[in-house]
Amino acid sequence: MKRFFFNILSFTLMLFILASCSGVKTEKVRLAEVTRSVFYTPLYIAISEGFFKEEGLDVELKTTWGGDKTMTALLSNGADIALVGSETSIYVNAQGASDPAINFAQLTQTDGTFLVARKKADNFGWEELKGKTFLGQRKGGMPQMAGEFVLKQKGIDPKNDIDLIQTIDFANIANSFASGTGDYVQLFEPQASIFEKEGIGRIVASFGKESGRIPYTTFMAKQSYLKKNEKTAEKFTRAIYKAQQWVESHSSKEAAQSIQDQFFKDTEPSILESSIERYKQQKSFAHDPILDEEEWNQLQTIMDEAGELPKRTSHHELVNTKIAEKVTKNH
């Protein structure tokens, strides 16, 4: 009997040693996201489906609510990687940064906002905005610039044809509209669909469909970080690519179920599913993490139209595609 228990103990000890030797050492990555939105579904899938863990990464996600705050977190070493609009890297570079923010993986490829009207419109026409109060996004931010770009394409002068409000903090825009400010508002999902359900407003148009492909939200890191942690960035990008492929091959319902509890526990499952489906239908989620030069140039065209482009910046100066190309080629 003693020999039996000794054998059991030895076997258990051996399993423990083998497990310890074969265990993957995890590496912590601090990630700051500009907002919490269904628009970033592939990121949340990378976490909920364990793709980061498969790469040996422990991703600590925090929401920093706004492009300026997100970039401050990145530049002050409060975050290793930032998920934010590509335009912020151009602004930082124009200020003469010695350690610029480099875009290395793309997450979304269209604008993610929708035009929500306070009153129901059966046959909406963009000319209906003229003379109305429009609750827009932060001046110089990608949502606002893409929004203005679309308005101009539709024959509307943002400065003269509408009463444009841009003084409200990003995190409070939805609450301001709900409390009665503005005839129209520019919102991300799932907030736009929630307002529809609550009868606060109606989605009448998509800025994503109208503005075309742009590197709307990307993962970026300081140049020094990428040089020192290229393998980490590669693992991170591989996990994102796995998630992008997962979103492509799974239904919106499956995606909603995957991210619901951890990221959107207060959002109704049906709204979460329909919001993801809306983004999938208009191809907002990038199919791979490569930020190409055509998209980069379109981004700067939109910035220029808005009067916010400090100077033209070449693709190779602020975009690193080597990591994403390696990941997509070998996967």
Side-chain angles (χ1 to χ4, degrees):
M1 183 62 73
K2 288 183 178 180
R3 184 176 180 81
F4 172 77
F5 282 114
F6 177 77
N7 289 338
I8 291 293
L9 182 62
S10 298
F11 180 70
T12 304
L13 183 61
M14 182 179 68
L15 288 178
F16 176 78
I17 293 172
L18 288 173
S20 299
C21 293
S22 61
V24 178
K25 184 180 179 181
T26 58
E27 181 180 358
K28 187 175 181 179
V29 175
R30 299 168 302 157
L31 172 62
E33 62 172 356
V34 66
T35 187
R36 175 59 51 85
S37 174
V38 180
F39 195 39
Y40 306 149
T41 290
L43 165 61
Y44 308 136
I45 289 293
I47 296 173
S48 63
E49 293 297 318
F51 296 135
F52 284 127
K53 286 186 178 179
E54 286 180 6
E55 296 296 328
L57 300 180
D58 175 18
V59 174
E60 179 184 276
L61 178 65
K62 63 179 177 181
T63 308
T64 38
W65 302 109
D68 51 345
K69 295 174 183 175
T70 306
M71 285 304 291
T72 296
L74 181 68
L75 298 177
S76 64
N77 296 318
D80 302 312
I81 297 174
L83 174 64
V84 65
S86 295
E87 79 283 356
T88 56
S89 65
I90 294 176
Y91 293 147
V92 169
N93 187 59
Q95 293 171 1
S98 58
D99 193 4
I102 304 297
N103 301 268
F104 68 91
Q106 183 171 339
L107 189 72
T108 62
Q109 60 184 13
T110 74
D111 183 281
T113 60
F114 297 86
L115 180 63
V116 176
R118 188 170 298 283
K119 297 180 180 179
K120 186 176 181 180
D122 294 325
N123 297 297
F124 171 75
W126 287 89
E127 67 280 357
E128 294 176 29
L129 270 72
K130 292 185 177 181
K132 299 295 194 305
T133 301
F134 185 94
L135 187 51
Q137 300 279 336
R138 177 180 60 85
K139 187 177 186 296
M142 205 58 228
Q144 182 61 37
M145 291 190 291
E148 290 188 15
F149 182 75
V150 171
L151 290 176
K152 289 177 182 178
Q153 286 186 322
K154 300 299 180 181
I156 299 171
D157 183 346
K159 292 181 174 60
N160 298 309
D161 293 339
I162 59 176
D163 180 13
L164 181 61
I165 298 176
Q166 294 178 281
T167 55
I168 299 172
D169 187 68
F170 178 82
N172 296 319
I173 290 174
N175 289 335
S176 295
F177 186 75
S179 64
T181 303
D183 301 302
Y184 293 89
V185 65
Q186 190 178 353
L187 294 174
F188 287 90
E189 287 284 29
Q191 191 62 62
S193 290
I194 291 173
F195 275 7
E196 272 201 330
K197 185 175 180 62
E198 295 177 346
I200 296 173
R202 294 288 183 272
I203 297 174
V204 294
S206 165
F207 286 102
K209 286 183 179 179
E210 301 293 344
S211 60
R213 282 187 61 189
I214 47 177
Y216 202 83
T217 329
T218 64
F219 294 101
M220 60 182 73
K222 290 198 293 187
Q223 192 172 61
S224 59
Y225 179 86
L226 289 178
K227 285 182 178 179
K228 295 177 182 176
N229 304 277
E230 186 174 350
K231 288 295 182 182
T232 303
E234 183 181 323
K235 293 175 182 177
F236 185 94
T237 306
R238 187 178 296 109
I240 290 298
Y241 184 43
K242 288 178 182 178
Q244 289 171 326
Q245 291 182 309
W246 191 100
V247 171
E248 284 290 306
S249 61
H250 289 71
S251 68
S252 297
K253 183 176 183 178
E254 289 173 310
Q257 290 173 338
S258 178
I259 66 177
Q260 173 94 52
D261 292 342
Q262 193 170 355
F263 301 101
F264 299 97
K265 60 181 180 181
D266 295 327
T267 304
E268 289 186 21
S270 60
I271 286 182
L272 190 56
E273 180 185 341
S274 64
S275 298
I276 294 173
E277 182 62 24
R278 186 172 273 132
Y279 281 132
K280 287 185 72 172
Q281 288 296 320
Q282 66 182 41
K283 302 185 186 307
S284 289
F285 304 133
H287 304 310
D288 62 57
I290 300 172
L291 196 172
D292 64 44
E293 190 168 0
E294 184 178 349
E295 291 174 290
W296 182 253
N297 291 335
Q298 175 70 350
L299 165 70
Q300 294 188 86
T301 296
I302 290 175
M303 293 176 69
D304 195 23
E305 281 281 328
E308 299 291 347
L309 183 66
K311 63 175 182 178
R312 283 273 171 180
T313 307
S314 63
H315 179 258
H316 75 269
E317 189 173 350
L318 293 180
V319 181
N320 179 335
T321 60
K322 292 180 180 179
I323 296 171
E325 287 170 350
K326 181 180 180 180
V327 163
T328 55
K329 183 179 180 181
N330 297 334
H331 188 71

